[in-house]
Amino acid sequence: MIDLTGQVAVVTGASRGIGRAIAEKLHSAGADVVLVARNQALLKETSNAMGGAMVMPMDVSSADEVQVGFRKIIQEKGKIDILVNNAGITRDNLLLRLKEEDIQRVLDVNLKSIFFTSKNVLRPMMKQRKGRIINISSVIGLMGNSGQSNYAASKAGIIGFTKSLAREVGSRNITVNVVAPGFIETDMTAELPETVQKEMAASIALGRFGSTEDVANAVLFLASDLAAYVTGEVMNVTGGMYM
Ligand SMILES: NC(=O)c1ccc[n+]([C@@H]2O[C@H](COP(=O)([O-])OP(=O)(O)OC[C@H]3O[C@@H](n4cnc5c(N)ncnc54)[C@H](O)[C@@H]3O)[C@@H](O)[C@H]2O)c1
């Protein structure tokens, strides 16, 4: 049984979907969870369901908002032990039709944001000589997908970032890992055309889509002492869609 009692965990994109499941999982393992996302009302709802967890609304693609928000979290909680970078968006289109703003926004929210959030937790983690950073990428960052070049580039970028940071901070006992989910049943995947959903389902070895809890379980493992010697790793949670 994993026990995270006494540990402060910040989860971005925690208002719904995978982020919410991760927050609930860490909370049920005893962590003091701080919920980050844009939508205050949705955050409050998640917080209430978890018995009043701290919420910190921010746009993670804004360096200033992240700095201010994380300062407040550290002021209130005194430390951050676990950071889960989960916030992410899609703006799908074939490259020929992809607008510059859709390329920029996806890179900013999915990739640039993790530079900002990670930067703001490193000092407190270094000070206590312990930390866990877990970045949510995607199987699309490994396989690519037609119509998702911006998203795939952002998710592949997360992997390069993770491996580099893992080398930078390993000597301080901070681990940095990636969880790469496959096809998970959420609002994000519900938006995909039915034909794409069927194609993807046919390629999954376990023959079913994943649940948000499947992803949260992988995050819980990487956040725990059981994963103390795992860093710079990409853990695929794809049901064998990619191996
Ligand atoms: N759903 C899947 O099948 C799947 C598969 C692979 C990877 N992922 C990744 O998992 C993560 C969560 O996906 P989901 O399906 O739960 O998505 P979702 O759309 O249901 O939730 C996304 C969350 O991110 C937050 N968010 C978005 N932009 C933000 C911003 N600028 N600042 C702060 N918060 C912001 C939203 O408020 C929301 O809480 C994403 O990074 C996604 O790329 C999802």
Side-chain angles (χ1 to χ4, degrees):
M1 165 95 173
I2 291 171
D3 185 6
L4 299 179
T5 304
Q7 301 206 38
V8 177
V10 179
V11 181
T12 73
S15 62
R16 60 182 211 189
I18 292 172
R20 179 172 173 157
I22 292 169
E24 285 172 347
K25 182 63 72 176
L26 298 178
H27 169 74
S28 63
D32 184 358
V33 181
V34 181
L35 311 169
V36 169
R38 286 163 310 175
N39 187 315
Q40 168 106 35
L42 274 180
L43 274 176
K44 275 275 172 221
E45 205 184 292
T46 309
S47 163
N48 290 342
M50 289 171 45
M54 180 180 183
V55 303
M56 189 53 66
M58 70 178 84
D59 179 344
V60 291
S61 69
S62 158
D64 289 347
E65 286 188 29
V66 169
Q67 192 179 44
V68 171
F70 274 70
R71 273 197 187 147
K72 281 188 194 155
I73 295 169
I74 293 164
Q75 247 167 26
E76 169 101 11
K77 301 289 181 187
K79 61 174 186 163
I80 295 174
D81 302 284
I82 301 160
L83 168 66
V84 184
N85 286 308
N86 162 81
I89 57 165
T90 52
R91 294 271 173 91
D92 298 348
N93 222 329
L94 297 171
L95 180 59
L96 281 176
R97 291 191 206 131
L98 206 51
K99 295 193 195 89
E100 187 178 349
E101 67 194 70
D102 292 334
I103 301 168
Q104 193 62 59
R105 189 68 190 146
V106 167
L107 290 173
D108 284 353
V109 175
N110 296 3
L111 182 57
K112 219 165 149 189
S113 64
I114 73 170
F115 288 78
F116 303 149
T117 54
S118 304
K119 217 172 162 174
N120 278 281
V121 299
L122 280 188
R123 270 186 230 288
M125 284 183 178
M126 281 171 157
K127 218 166 103 189
Q128 64 181 20
R129 290 202 154 259
K130 192 179 176 212
R132 294 275 192 273
I133 299 176
I134 300 152
N135 300 320
I136 308 301
S137 174
S138 167
V139 68
I140 303 304
L142 295 160
M143 294 172 62
N145 194 24
S146 171
Q148 290 200 300
S149 58
N150 53 351
Y151 181 76
S154 72
K155 293 300 186 180
I158 286 176
I159 295 171
F161 171 90
T162 299
K163 292 184 177 183
S164 302
L165 186 60
R167 289 187 188 279
E168 281 184 29
V169 298
S171 64
R172 310 300 179 101
N173 197 28
I174 300 169
T175 67
V176 194
N177 289 291
V178 162
V179 171
F183 194 101
I184 307 300
E185 280 177 329
T186 61
D187 295 348
M188 185 181 261
T189 47
E191 281 171 19
L192 289 170
E194 212 174 303
T195 47
V196 177
Q197 291 197 27
K198 277 193 181 146
E199 259 171 45
M200 284 180 155
S203 67
I204 300 171
L206 289 180
R208 65 174 175 87
F209 303 152
S211 68
T212 55
E213 194 173 4
D214 290 324
V215 181
N217 284 334
V219 172
L220 177 64
F221 165 69
L222 290 171
S224 77
D225 285 344
L226 295 179
Y229 201 56
V230 180
T231 196
E233 197 53 66
V234 180
M235 184 181 282
N236 295 328
V237 182
T238 70
M241 176 183 169
Y242 180 83
M243 37 177 120

